[in-house]
Amino acid sequence: MSDQIIGLHHWFDSPPGRYLLAWEQARFDEAVADIFGYHSLQLGMPLLDSLRANRMPHQWLALGQEGVTGVAGHGAAPLRGEVDPAQAPLRAIHLLAEPVALPFPESSLDLIVLPHTLELSIDPHAALREVERVLVPEGRVVISGLNPISLWGLRQARARLYQRMGKGTLYLPDVGEFIGYRRLRDWLRLLSFEVESAQFGCYRPAVRSTQWLDRFGFMDPLGERWWPIFGAAYFMVAVKRVHGMRLLEPAWRSHRQRAAAAVPIANRAHAAAAVPQGPHMPVGTAHGPAGTKADFTPRRDRIKNTSRKSV
């Protein structure tokens, strides 16, 4: 494992490695700039300062023992602060921790960044489960990795085939099996993560010189439009979702609400019986309960009739 990490660090010093680091650094700066919280952690890859655009007060860089061996073999001095990924100086390491056993309590981190961490992990499944354990609800994990379904992945597969026949060299570092985007998305869904965003990049062919990489620079905008899922690298942001629950109380505690009794309107039935309906009833009069006539003439007309009688 330490030889693989040393090989990965040396590969990032090559022209295609610097090209990939520059693209990933821009994606990390955009993704973590608006993620708020208190505690953030970067696991692995000290060549990449993935938290430099984040504003959380507590930020840590953690490496495993193999990672420290790889950093020592790289030969760069530790450095703290904003860095240029093309120059790739190292930053200060805050703690030694394996991705499969993080020294943090449950639900204590707001952001975890995994730049090529799963590819170098002994057990990527256990590493993702550990990330899910230490993240708070609605916390975010940012992951970058190499896409096996790309021009770079095809050249790597062809180089492996040639190596079996005793010739050829690998184009990408020998870090074992690359984890595809769809496969990683299924793992995250099983752990109740929701993929918030995903991007692909680095569409230039698998060449080794800076001159040829610059010549094929026109393929980046074309690849984003016409073959977006075939980029050499992928980048995704996932959110930890925790579903709420509703406690069911015992049946003897739940009381059925009684329907409210209808409030009767006074004298409604009596008034309905007192006003008979029929064709012989004169307009404006009705018989009361004692045989008296009830006058339904409007009050204004009654005042006029009274004044006429008085005259």
Side-chain angles (χ1 to χ4, degrees):
M1 179 61 68
S2 60
D3 296 336
Q4 295 177 356
I5 297 177
I6 293 175
L8 181 64
H9 283 284
H10 283 295
W11 182 84
F12 276 115
D13 281 338
S14 64
R18 291 192 294 268
Y19 163 58
L20 177 61
L21 275 181
W23 181 83
E24 289 186 344
Q25 185 67 67
R27 302 289 81 75
F28 277 112
D29 292 343
E30 294 175 1
V32 305
D34 295 330
I35 299 179
F36 299 98
Y38 296 96
H39 306 92
S40 58
L41 175 67
Q42 175 181 342
L43 281 174
M45 192 57 63
L47 305 177
L48 193 66
D49 193 356
S50 58
L51 297 175
R52 69 179 185 180
N54 189 259
R55 289 168 281 181
M56 294 188 186
H58 306 288
Q59 300 179 1
W60 298 288
L61 171 63
L63 292 181
Q65 186 61 39
E66 294 86 356
V68 175
T69 306
V71 171
H74 188 70
L79 180 65
R80 177 66 178 171
E82 296 186 357
V83 298
D84 184 5
Q87 302 299 328
L90 301 183
R91 297 181 294 135
I93 302 172
H94 298 95
L95 56 101
L96 301 179
E98 296 293 339
V100 296
L102 297 177
F104 293 96
E106 184 177 352
S107 300
S108 58
L109 298 179
D110 301 284
L111 171 63
I112 296 180
V113 180
L114 305 177
H116 301 278
T117 307
L118 299 179
E119 299 167 355
L120 299 174
S121 176
I122 301 175
D123 190 350
H125 295 274
L128 279 180
R129 287 194 296 267
E130 190 69 4
V131 168
E132 190 273 338
R133 181 187 68 84
V134 299
L135 270 181
V136 299
E138 302 300 321
R140 283 168 171 79
V141 56
V142 185
I143 306 173
S144 66
L146 293 173
N147 185 16
I149 310 176
S150 62
L151 295 178
W152 294 17
L154 292 177
R155 177 164 179 175
Q156 183 79 352
R158 188 188 66 176
R160 290 184 184 277
L161 180 62
Y162 286 169
Q163 278 191 340
R164 293 177 182 177
M165 296 184 294
K167 58 182 180 179
T169 57
L170 296 178
Y171 177 74
L172 297 174
D174 188 10
V175 293
E177 183 183 2
F178 295 132
I179 303 173
Y181 164 74
R182 295 184 180 274
R183 183 181 179 188
L184 180 59
R185 186 184 60 181
D186 293 339
W187 291 358
L188 292 172
R189 287 180 177 177
L190 290 176
L191 295 174
S192 301
F193 281 96
E194 179 182 349
V195 178
E196 190 175 49
S197 63
Q199 300 180 34
F200 293 85
C202 300
Y203 298 95
R204 303 179 190 182
V207 293
R208 298 184 183 275
S209 65
T210 305
Q211 180 181 1
W212 282 103
L213 282 173
D214 295 338
R215 286 184 179 182
F216 287 105
F218 67 92
M219 296 188 64
D220 284 334
L222 292 178
E224 292 179 1
R225 181 175 181 180
W226 297 108
W227 54 89
I229 64 173
F230 297 113
Y234 60 84
F235 180 89
M236 68 170 60
V237 180
V239 185
K240 177 184 175 180
R241 301 297 188 189
V242 178
H243 299 285
M245 63 180 66
R246 179 181 178 184
L247 298 178
L248 299 178
E249 298 183 354
W252 56 269
R253 287 189 178 182
S254 60
H255 300 284
R256 180 179 298 178
Q257 295 183 356
R258 297 181 179 179
V263 180
I265 301 177
N267 299 328
R268 171 182 287 183
H270 181 70
V275 182
Q277 300 293 334
H280 303 289
M281 180 63 61
V283 179
T285 60
H287 292 282
T292 60
K293 292 183 178 182
D295 192 358
F296 292 97
T297 306
R299 186 170 180 272
R300 183 183 302 174
D301 297 340
R302 282 185 287 170
I303 294 175
K304 292 181 179 180
N305 295 335
T306 306
S307 61
R308 291 176 182 176
K309 291 180 181 181
S310 61
V311 174

